[in-house]
């Protein structure tokens, strides 16, 4: 058996190599096209994953990643006994959940309302305006918020003044941070997010409405009995995606708006990482926090994808 | 649907209330922009006193004169253009051929390469290892670093790959008969057929580059290389933290608020100019980025 088996497998091996050589000779062009992208992914996204091991090492800039000593789970123990980190985890979940509860229904409502507008010009003008903030930089959003909520000069306090209410310095009040953050998020994204739902509404079979009209249904009834049930799959998919991204709080806006006075309600995991890592230079500890965040996010995304597959037999990617 | 005769009186009321609510939402979306524009043209004194509501008070161009006389403002404006166009071009040069290769059935290891790209949507190393990597590559404080480090993202690649995959084989067969190679097939067949998808990712790239601020703030310390958004951030911080500056402002015809507002207006203008032209496209294009069937 033994000597006989070796010869054909050797021949097959050679055939395979020859086939590969022929393949690359004929099709080298697609590999040339692929290469820059793959190299980019390796250099900019996979190499940092290798660097993630500093979460388990006592990282020193001078020694480099590989030569820094292993410390096991020490950084994670430090993190989970650090009240600031625990607060950041709590705030991340809070802010995400509140944005979901208050922010998620708004684009659906908007899409339903846009659908009921018959004047095309009015509809298109309104849409053009409500999509606009999506294209505005976070820094500008923050600039607008800071100006509008300023204690002396801001329009918000001016209006409160008309009703005899004393000026409030909103941006140093912890209890005001979340409403302002979530409100500006809705202002910026609700309009643009309605596009997905409008597209779903556009896909509803028109004959459903026609027969409803014959039966004498009102617009209100048609919205509840036809439109909303028809776009339910889209609503559920979008909800699942949002749950999958729960750990992704818009931390750029938080960095621009928060102050030490509001850390207690505003500080989230990513802003904690930014301060500990990039501002205080505790790279290993911050990388550990980032690792924790990425693992939780990964689990959530996997759950979301499984749910979406089960629910609609469509995968999210 | 558009036949008004089919509407009962109750429906007409419903439609009117609906139009009014949409109107209110639209105006609340627009108002902050109007307010900021009004502040930017008001005097510093009026802005500080909080008397600006809808139109400029004590109309003046003082804030603009101050902003536009800063060489750093113009410099950062120029940098934003460099990052936006350099970055978008780099993205397209990497993403288009890459997505095309991923869409070819004959590509060896196709599943592996696709997974390698998609995996980065679900898991990423995070801020710190990414930053350390950029530092170790020697790309801190360089134009090239900002342009190349954000050139690709999995979402855009998958969007384009799906579009390429949906193009029927028959389109490329004629070109292949004429002996076209892969580059020619991509250039002459796939790119012309994929204009909406390419327009969509181009728009995504331009918007994220124009607005990008966090990584530019973190990776660039040289004031000469920062883009406009970081400049705006620095200005807001400097003006509001610097006590001395604030006291000199008491006599100035502008204030922290009017200067901030003027920079905001200047940085929104290019967006407003381009916006109506692209607005028509994304309502179609965005669908491509939706859920894959």
């Amino acid at each position: 058996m033994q000597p006989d088996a070796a010869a054909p497998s050797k021949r097959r091996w050679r055939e395979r190599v020859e086939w590969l050589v022929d393949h690359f000779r004929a099709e080298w062009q697609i590999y040339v096209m692929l290469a820059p992208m793959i190299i980019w992914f390796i250099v900019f996204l996979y190499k940092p994953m290798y660097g993630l091991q500093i979460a388990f090492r006592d990282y020193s800039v001078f020694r480099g990643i590989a030569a820094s000593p292993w410390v096991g789970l020490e950084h994670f123990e430090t993190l989970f006994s650090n009240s600031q980190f625990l607060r950041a985890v709590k705030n991340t979940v809070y802010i995400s959940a509140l944005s979901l509860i208050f922010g998620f229904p708004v684009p659906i409502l908007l899409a339903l309302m846009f659908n009921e507008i018959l004047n095309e010009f009015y509809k298109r003008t309104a849409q053009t305006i409500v999509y606009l903030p999506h294209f505005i930089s976070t820094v500008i959003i923050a600039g607008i918020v800071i100006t509008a909520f300023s204690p002396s000069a801001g329009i918000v306090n001016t209006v409160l003044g008309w009703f005899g209410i004393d000026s409030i310095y909103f941006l140093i009040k912890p209890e005001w941070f979340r409403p302002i953050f979530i409100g500006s998020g809705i202002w910026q994204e609700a309009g643009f997010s309605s596009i997905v739902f409008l597209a779903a509404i556009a896909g509803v079979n028109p004959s459903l409405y026609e027969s409803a009209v014959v039966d004498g249904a009102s617009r209100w009834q048609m919205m509840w009995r036809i439109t909303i049930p028809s776009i339910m799959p889209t609503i559920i998919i979008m909800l699942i995606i949002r749950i999958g991204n729960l750990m992704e709080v818009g931390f750029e806006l938080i960095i621009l708006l928060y102050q030490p006075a509001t850390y207690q309600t505003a500080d989230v995991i990513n802003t904690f990482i930014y301060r500990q890592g990039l501002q205080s230079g505790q790279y290993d500890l911050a990388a550990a926090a980032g690792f924790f965040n990425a693992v939780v996010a990964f689990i959530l995304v996997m759950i979301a994808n499984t749910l979406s597959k089960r629910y609609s037999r469509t995968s999210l990617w | 649907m558009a036949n008004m005769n089919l509407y009962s009186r109750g429906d007409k009321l419903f439609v009117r209330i609906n139009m009014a609510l949409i109107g209110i939402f639209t105006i609340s979306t627009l108002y902050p922009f109007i307010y900021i524009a009004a502040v930017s043209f008001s005097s510093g004194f009026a802005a500080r006193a909080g008397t600006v509501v809808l139109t400029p008070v004590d109309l003046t161009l003082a804030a603009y004169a101050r902003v536009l006389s800063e060489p750093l403002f113009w410099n950062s404006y120029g940098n934003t253009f460099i990052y936006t166009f350099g970055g978008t071009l780099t993205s397209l040069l990497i993403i288009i051929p890459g997505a095309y290769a991923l869409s070819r059935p004959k590509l060896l290891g196709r599943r592996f390469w696709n997974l390698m790209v998609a995996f980065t949507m679900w898991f990423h190393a995070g801020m710190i290892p990414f930053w350390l990597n950029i530092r170790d590559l020697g790309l801190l404080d360089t134009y090239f670093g900002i342009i190349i480090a954000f050139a690709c993202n999995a979402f855009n690649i998958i969007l384009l790959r799906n579009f390429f995959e949906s193009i029927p084989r028959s389109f490329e067969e004629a070109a292949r008969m004429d002996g076209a190679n892969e580059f020619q097939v991509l250039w002459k067949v796939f790119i012309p057929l994929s204009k909406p998808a390419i327009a969509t990712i181009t728009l995504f790239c331009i918007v994220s580059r124009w607005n990008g601020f966090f990584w530019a703030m973190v990776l660039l310390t040289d004031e000469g290389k920062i883009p406009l958004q970081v400049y705006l951030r620095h200005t807001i911080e400097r003006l509001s933290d610097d006590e001395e500056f604030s006291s000199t402002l008491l006599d100035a015809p502008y204030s922290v608020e009017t200067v901030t507002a003027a920079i905001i207006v200047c940085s929104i203008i290019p967006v407003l100019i381009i916006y109506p032209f692209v607005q028509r496209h994304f309502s179609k294009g965005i669908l491509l980025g939706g859920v894959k069937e």
Side-chain angles (χ1 to χ4, degrees):
Chain A
M1 272 302 276
Q2 291 290 329
D4 283 21
S9 89
K10 206 178 241 170
R11 199 187 302 146
R12 217 178 296 150
W13 186 223
R14 233 177 67 194
E15 273 170 16
R16 220 173 268 172
V17 171
E18 275 166 15
W19 183 86
L20 269 180
V21 171
D22 286 347
H23 173 79
F24 285 120
R25 199 169 278 163
E27 306 292 351
W28 59 272
Q29 290 168 337
I30 54 173
Y31 296 94
V32 170
M33 291 171 164
L34 184 70
M37 189 177 77
I38 295 300
I39 293 168
W40 187 91
F41 270 87
I42 292 169
V43 171
F44 288 103
L45 295 178
Y46 283 92
K47 202 165 146 254
M49 289 187 201
Y50 165 83
L52 200 48
Q53 57 181 285
I54 64 166
F56 304 94
R57 288 178 187 268
D58 181 15
Y59 177 68
S60 128
V61 177
F62 304 104
R63 280 192 231 116
I65 293 169
S68 298
W70 292 99
V71 293
L73 296 176
E74 199 187 293
H75 296 308
F76 293 92
E77 280 161 21
T78 313
L79 278 178
F80 283 99
S81 53
N82 179 335
S83 62
Q84 276 195 33
F85 176 72
L86 295 175
R87 186 182 69 189
V89 173
K90 196 190 85 188
N91 283 338
T92 305
V93 175
Y94 258 54
I95 293 179
S96 271
L98 290 171
S99 313
L100 184 73
I101 293 165
F102 292 101
F104 188 73
V106 181
I108 303 172
L109 272 175
L110 269 179
L112 289 170
M113 288 164 74
F114 275 131
N115 186 49
E116 299 296 333
I117 290 183
L118 300 164
N119 183 327
E120 271 301 312
F121 175 77
Y122 187 82
K123 183 173 166 181
R124 214 170 317 129
T125 310
Q127 282 177 327
T128 305
I129 291 169
V130 302
Y131 296 166
L132 179 63
H134 173 79
F135 296 92
I136 301 297
S137 165
T138 318
V139 186
I140 292 179
I141 305 288
I144 294 175
V145 170
I146 290 168
T147 310
F149 285 90
S150 140
S152 59
I155 180 69
V156 178
N157 276 312
T158 305
V159 172
L160 289 180
W162 295 344
F163 296 98
I165 299 168
D166 283 340
S167 155
I168 302 171
Y169 196 165
F170 287 98
L171 291 172
I172 61 163
K173 294 265 195 275
E175 68 271 24
W176 279 107
F177 186 84
R178 287 172 191 159
I180 290 174
F181 176 78
I182 291 165
S184 45
I186 293 174
W187 175 76
Q188 187 178 12
E189 293 298 340
F192 196 72
S193 312
S194 72
I195 291 180
V196 179
F197 299 107
L198 274 170
I201 293 172
V204 178
N205 186 349
S207 65
L208 290 175
Y209 294 107
E210 282 157 21
S211 47
V213 168
V214 172
D215 292 344
S218 69
R219 301 286 301 177
W220 182 252
Q221 285 169 323
M222 286 192 271
M223 188 174 94
W224 278 101
R225 303 275 169 81
I226 301 174
T227 316
I228 293 177
S230 302
I231 64 168
M232 224 16 153
T234 309
I235 293 176
I236 289 176
I237 294 278
M238 296 316 286
L239 186 65
I240 291 170
I241 293 177
R242 282 288 293 265
I243 292 170
N245 292 334
L246 208 65
M247 302 305 274
E248 300 287 326
V249 184
F251 76 98
E252 296 194 355
L253 185 57
I254 297 183
I255 286 179
L256 294 166
L257 289 181
Y258 79 164
Q259 301 180 14
T262 50
Y263 280 179
Q264 75 181 90
T265 54
D267 196 20
V268 294
I269 299 175
N270 273 320
T271 50
F272 174 86
I273 295 170
Y274 170 67
R275 277 204 320 281
Q276 294 298 318
L278 298 181
Q279 291 188 320
S280 313
Q282 288 189 309
Y283 299 117
D284 41 15
L285 187 73
F291 184 72
F292 168 78
N293 196 36
V295 169
V296 176
F298 182 72
I299 294 169
L300 285 173
V301 170
M302 287 298 126
I303 293 173
N305 196 37
T306 314
L307 283 177
S308 128
K309 264 184 196 157
R310 187 174 302 168
Y311 179 76
S312 63
R313 283 186 220 86
T314 61
S315 166
L316 297 183
W317 30 78
Chain B
M1 288 293 291
N3 190 344
M4 280 301 277
N5 295 332
L6 292 174
Y7 286 78
S8 68
R9 267 173 63 191
D11 279 347
K12 279 180 188 156
L13 183 68
F14 172 67
V15 167
R16 287 210 182 107
I17 291 174
N18 180 50
M19 273 179 93
L21 288 175
I22 285 281
I24 290 168
F25 191 86
T26 308
I27 290 167
S28 1
T29 306
L30 200 57
Y31 176 71
F33 295 112
I34 295 169
Y35 168 67
I36 289 294
V39 170
S40 76
F41 288 107
S42 298
S43 72
F45 180 76
R48 298 202 129 201
T51 49
V52 183
V53 175
L54 195 63
T55 50
V57 177
D58 308 337
L59 188 71
T60 169
L61 291 172
Y64 287 94
R66 160 82 208 243
V67 169
L68 301 181
S69 66
E70 295 262 359
L72 258 181
F73 167 80
W74 292 105
N75 191 45
S76 59
Y77 219 118
N79 287 338
T80 291
F81 275 95
I82 294 173
Y83 293 130
T84 302
F85 290 104
T88 304
L89 194 65
T90 311
S91 297
L92 293 176
L93 284 174
I94 300 177
I95 287 177
I96 293 174
Y100 174 76
L102 287 181
S103 76
R104 304 282 82 193
K106 63 192 167 193
L107 180 76
L108 285 186
R110 186 167 166 229
R111 276 179 67 93
F112 174 79
W113 303 124
N114 273 306
L115 188 67
M116 185 173 170
V117 170
F119 182 73
T120 61
M121 289 203 299
W122 316 323
F123 188 85
H124 51 86
M127 204 187 293
I128 303 302
F130 187 85
W131 185 85
L132 291 173
N133 183 38
I134 301 288
R135 191 200 61 188
D136 294 346
L137 291 168
L139 293 177
L140 286 183
D141 248 334
T142 58
Y143 285 99
F144 179 68
I146 296 282
I147 287 175
I148 193 71
F150 306 95
C152 294
N153 76 55
F155 182 82
N156 286 344
I157 292 168
I158 291 171
L159 190 155
L160 191 58
R161 183 207 66 195
N162 289 347
F163 199 90
F164 283 156
E165 280 174 354
S166 72
I167 294 173
R169 278 201 84 83
S170 53
F171 281 99
E172 61 184 283
E173 264 155 19
R176 297 224 182 260
M177 296 285 206
D178 296 340
N181 65 30
E182 295 291 343
F183 293 101
Q184 288 162 330
V185 170
L186 172 61
W187 183 252
K188 290 186 178 151
V189 181
F190 279 79
I191 290 181
L193 286 172
S194 309
K195 273 185 196 146
I198 292 174
T200 304
I201 60 168
T202 307
L203 178 71
F204 287 162
C205 289
I206 291 176
V207 169
S208 76
R209 290 287 183 172
W210 184 269
N211 291 334
F213 117 87
F214 177 74
W215 284 107
M217 174 182 83
V218 166
L219 299 178
L220 301 170
T221 44
D222 180 351
E223 287 247 298
K225 289 175 183 155
I226 59 171
L228 188 60
Q229 310 302 346
V230 179
Y231 174 77
L232 172 60
R233 172 63 180 163
H234 286 180
T235 309
I236 295 174
E237 269 179 338
R238 209 177 52 226
L239 293 185
S240 43
D241 289 351
D242 195 337
E243 292 284 325
E244 206 177 316
F245 185 81
S246 300
S247 58
T248 62
L249 274 180
L250 286 176
D251 309 323
Y254 45 78
S255 71
V256 181
E257 292 80 16
T258 63
V259 171
T260 305
I263 301 175
I264 291 177
V265 171
C266 293
S267 87
I268 289 183
I269 285 172
V271 179
L272 291 184
I273 292 172
I274 303 171
Y275 182 66
F277 297 101
V278 294
Q279 203 261 118
R280 275 172 282 146
H281 293 286
F282 56 63
S283 47
K284 266 181 281 165
I286 192 81
L287 301 177
L288 296 164
V291 179
K292 187 200 167 188
E293 287 183 34

